[in-house]
Amino acid sequence: MSENTMPEATTSTALPSVSRRSVLVGGGIGALGVAVTGSRVHAVGGGGGGGERHAFAMVTDTHVNVQEPDRTASLERILTEIADRDPAFVLNCGDITDLGAADEFQLYTDTIPDALQGRMKEVPGNHENQYLVDALEAYDDHLDARRYSFASGGLHVIGLDPLVMMEWGWYFDAELLGWLKRELRQVPHGTPIVLFLHFPMSADWNYVQNDHELLSLIEPYPVRAIFAGHRHVTNVSTYNGATQVMGNSLKNGPYYYWIEETDGEDGPVLEVTEVTVPEEGDVTEEKLTTISLAGPGRDALGPVRTRARPDHSAVELRVDVPHRAAVAEVKARPYPYAYGKIDGGWSELEPSGRPSRRWTGQVDVSDLPPGRHKLEVRVVGEDEALYDDVAEFELPVTSARIGWSTSLEGRIQGGLASRDGLVVAATTKGEVAAFKPTHRSNRPQWRSSIGPVYRAPVFSPDGETLLVPSTDHHLYGLDPATGYARWSVDLGAPLAGDLAIAEVDDEPRILLSIGQQLACLDLTGQVQWTAELNGIYAGRPECDGERVYAGSGDGNAYAFDARTGEEVWRKQLTDKDTRYGTVLYGPWACYVRILAEGAVLFTRFSNAVALDGATGEQVWLGEGDDLELQQVVYTPPTLTDQGILLVDGFAGSVHLFDPDNGQQTWHADAVPRNFAAQPVPSPDEDGVYWLVSQSGALARIDLEEESAEQVLQVLTCYTQSTAAIVGSGAEQVLVVGGQDGVLYGVVDLQA
C-alpha cells in the first residue's frame, strides 16, 4: 500500500406585504417552555453595547435575493433599527441568501449599516451549500468565517458550521467536534456559553443526524443558550440544560430578536424578545423567554444511562435518570431516518421504585430492517424541560451483513468508482483511496491526497487513468495502479458535477460542468471546447456522438454540437420566472440519459421528460395513475431492461416508466428517503438492483418480481454516495461509503 501526496492546488476567485409570524407554543412540537407576554411598543436606543446592560441581536433566514427588493428593504430597516439600539454584536443564523450567489452576498453586506460593521457574526445555512457549487467560496469572499468563537461582556459565543458543499442532511463530523471541544476547554471556568448555528437541535428536529454527539460533548460545560433558524418559525424549547431559540424568516415578516442580559431572581439572565419592524406603524415586541445564566454545568435531568436489549421485533429499554432529577415521563422511539417526516411515535416507559430513578419498557421496532440502529430517548421534567439522548442497538441479521469496514479522512460524498475488482473512494478532505475488496477484507492498495472531492471518480475507457474532479478547481488524472497524479488541470471553478466520458469521432472525450459552462476535454486534460450554460449545473451530461446534452440552473435543457460546442437547441423545462425558481425546479442537477429512437431523458424537480435529441421538442412527460412525484432530479435515473427506474427521494419510493411513452408501469415504497445515491445492478440476478438510501437503509429492488424490500440498515449516518459491487455469488461485496467517512463491505447478499 502506497501513500502519495500532491501539494494543494491554488484556487481561483469565486464566480461571479407580510404574514404574521408563526409561534409554536405549549403543545406544539418542541415548543415546551415558551412564555408569550403580549406585545408592546419599545423605545428605540439604549441598552446595547455602549449602554448599561450587555445586549445583542439575532436575525436568521434573511434569504437575500437580488430579485426580491422588498425583502432587502425589510433587512435594511431591521438592521437600522438594531444599530440604533447599539448591540454588542448581531448573530445571523444562516440562510443569509437564497442561492449563495456572489451578488446576493454583496447585496447583504451592502445592507449592513456602518454602525454594525465588525459586529455582524454569521454562520452559513443550507442555502449557502445546496444550490451553487461556488456558494461557499462566495461566502468566504464576503464574510469573515464559518465557525469561530468570541467573548463579549460576560458571555462566550461560539458559531458552528456543520456544512459541506452539495449536501442534503447534515452531520457534525470529527473535525468540527474536535474543534468545538478545544474551544470549550479554553473558555474561562463558569463563563456562560452561547452557541449559534443554522439548524435547530434536539429530537424534535433531526436535521443534523448526530446532534446527540454534540449535546454529549457540551454537557459538562455551561452552555445556556442556543440560537438557530431553518424552520421559518419562532420557537423556544429547553433541552439538555440549554434553551434553544429558533428565529423566524424574513420571508415571513420583518422580524429580529433582541437579547438583553439582566438580573433575575436567582442570578443573571438573558431576556429574549421578538421584535417586528413594519414598513409603516409602530415597532412592536413580544417577550419569548428568559434564559438563566446561572446554575450547574449539567442539566438536572441528565446524563442518563440506557441499556437496550433487542430482539427481532422489539427493544427492551432501561433508562436510569440522576438522583436529583424531577422526572414526569420517559419515552423512546426509533430514530426517524426520514428527514422531515417526524410524526411522534413515542413509546412510554414506566417508572419502577421510589423515587422513580429507573424507567423501563418496550419499543416496537418490527418495521425496521436488520442491522445497526438508534433509539431516541427523551426525559421530560416536571417543569417540562427536556433531556434527549440516543441509545444504539443492533437487530439480528439473517442474510446481508457488514463484513468489514475501514475509515477515511473526511466525508464520502461522491459515488464510488469500480473497475476490474478495484474500488476507489474519494473524500471531502481530498483523500483518494483504492481497495480490492473481498468477502472478508477491504485489501487496501494505495492512498493519495488531492483537493476536496464531492463527486465520483471515473475510470477512462481503457482503464489507464482515474479521473477525479475536485472543488479546488482541478481535474486530476491519477494512475489507477499507484494513485500518483499523471496530470492535473485548473479549470477555474469548483468541480461539483459528475463526469461523463463519450466517444466523438472515435476519440474519447471528458464532459463536465465548470461554473456556468460545459467543457469538453481529452484524456490528458486538454480543453477542446467550452459552451455557455447560463446557469450552474451539478448533474451529469450525456453524449450520443453527435450532440452533448446537459441541464442548467436557468431552467433549460441544452444540446450542443459534440465536435464544436456550438449550441443546437435549448428547451425551458420550468414555468418559474425567477432565478431561484428556475434553479430549484429546473434540470440543474439532472443526470441525462440517452433513450432509444433519438430521445433524451431529462429530470426536473418533480418529473421526467423525454425530448427529441435533434430538435428539443417534447416526446413525452412522465404520467400514470396515482403519479405524484415529489423529488426526482437529484437521484440519477437508471435505464434497465424493464424500463426507466426513478427514485422519488423525498417519498423514498421507486417508479418504473415505459421509455417509449413515459407511462408509469409500477411503483412501490422502498426507503425512508434518498438523495443522489443511485441503484446499482446485481451482477448475478437480472432485474435486481441494490440501493443504499440517504437514510443508510439497503433496499433490494426486484423489477421482475415488482418488489422492494429493506434488507439491512448499513449506516446510522446519512449517505448520498452510490455504492459499488465487486465479485459474484458468495464472494459478492457491496461497498458503501457515508458521511462518517467509513467504507462498509456488505456481504452475504445472496444468502
Side-chain angles (χ1 to χ4, degrees), residues 189-436:
H189 180 73
T191 302
I193 298 169
V194 173
L195 302 183
F196 74 107
L197 71 165
H198 183 61
F199 303 103
M201 296 187 288
S202 87
D204 287 327
W205 307 110
N206 295 114
Y207 292 117
V208 182
Q209 185 273 342
N210 64 332
D211 60 12
H212 64 284
E213 293 187 44
L214 187 140
L215 295 178
S216 176
L217 189 154
I218 67 175
E219 193 164 279
Y221 302 93
V223 176
R224 304 300 181 208
I226 300 170
F227 292 93
H230 190 60
R231 280 288 293 188
H232 295 199
V233 295
T234 297
N235 173 261
V236 180
S237 60
T238 301
Y239 60 89
N240 294 55
T243 298
Q244 177 170 272
V245 178
M246 291 167 53
N248 211 332
S249 169
L250 244 65
K251 283 188 172 183
N252 294 338
Y255 312 116
Y256 78 90
Y257 300 82
W258 186 253
I259 304 96
E260 187 167 303
E261 186 174 353
T262 187
D263 294 324
E265 292 183 3
D266 300 318
V269 298
L270 294 178
E271 289 189 348
V272 183
T273 304
E274 182 182 71
V275 186
T276 306
V277 189
E279 185 176 1
E280 297 179 359
D282 293 329
V283 174
T284 60
E285 291 187 353
E286 288 190 6
K287 182 179 176 181
L288 295 181
T289 191
T290 299
I291 303 172
S292 174
L293 297 179
R298 296 186 175 191
D299 179 40
L301 297 177
V304 301
R305 290 190 301 172
T306 60
R307 186 177 69 180
R309 290 183 172 177
D311 61 24
H312 289 279
S313 61
V315 173
E316 292 282 349
L317 185 65
R318 189 183 86 185
V319 179
D320 294 330
V321 301
H323 289 277
R324 63 189 181 277
V327 177
E329 63 174 327
V330 179
K331 52 189 177 181
R333 68 181 176 192
Y335 186 88
Y337 294 106
Y339 167 101
K341 298 180 183 177
I342 302 171
D343 57 358
W346 294 103
S347 296
E348 304 287 341
L349 305 186
E350 296 294 331
S352 59
R354 291 182 179 274
S356 301
R357 291 186 48 243
R358 176 165 296 172
W359 297 68
T360 59
Q362 277 196 346
V363 180
D364 183 7
V365 294
S366 57
D367 290 338
L368 299 181
R372 304 160 60 225
H373 292 278
K374 298 184 297 185
L375 287 178
E376 291 186 317
V377 178
R378 167 162 282 182
V379 180
V380 183
E382 292 178 353
D383 60 355
E384 297 187 319
L386 308 174
Y387 185 90
D388 288 340
D389 199 8
V390 164
E392 296 190 357
F393 66 96
E394 186 167 351
L395 292 177
V397 299
T398 56
S399 56
R401 62 181 177 86
I402 297 173
W404 53 261
S405 64
T406 187
S407 296
L408 281 67
E409 183 182 3
R411 309 184 200 192
I412 303 170
Q413 293 285 102
L416 308 180
S418 177
R419 184 184 174 101
D420 298 330
L422 187 71
V423 175
V424 180
T427 75
T428 58
K429 292 297 182 184
E431 183 173 17
V432 186
F435 305 87
K436 282 196 172 180

Side-chain angles (χ1 to χ4, degrees), residues 110 184 219 299 320 406 567 573 637 695 707 719:
D110 288 345
L184 291 170
E219 193 164 279
D299 179 40
D320 294 330
T406 187
E567 183 181 317
L573 296 186
S695 63
S707 64
T719 184

Side-chain angles (χ1 to χ4, degrees), residues 470-488:
S470 172
T471 57
D472 73 359
H473 299 193
H474 286 69
L475 177 63
Y476 293 89
L478 306 185
D479 182 344
T482 65
Y484 285 106
R486 291 175 169 166
W487 54 262
S488 68

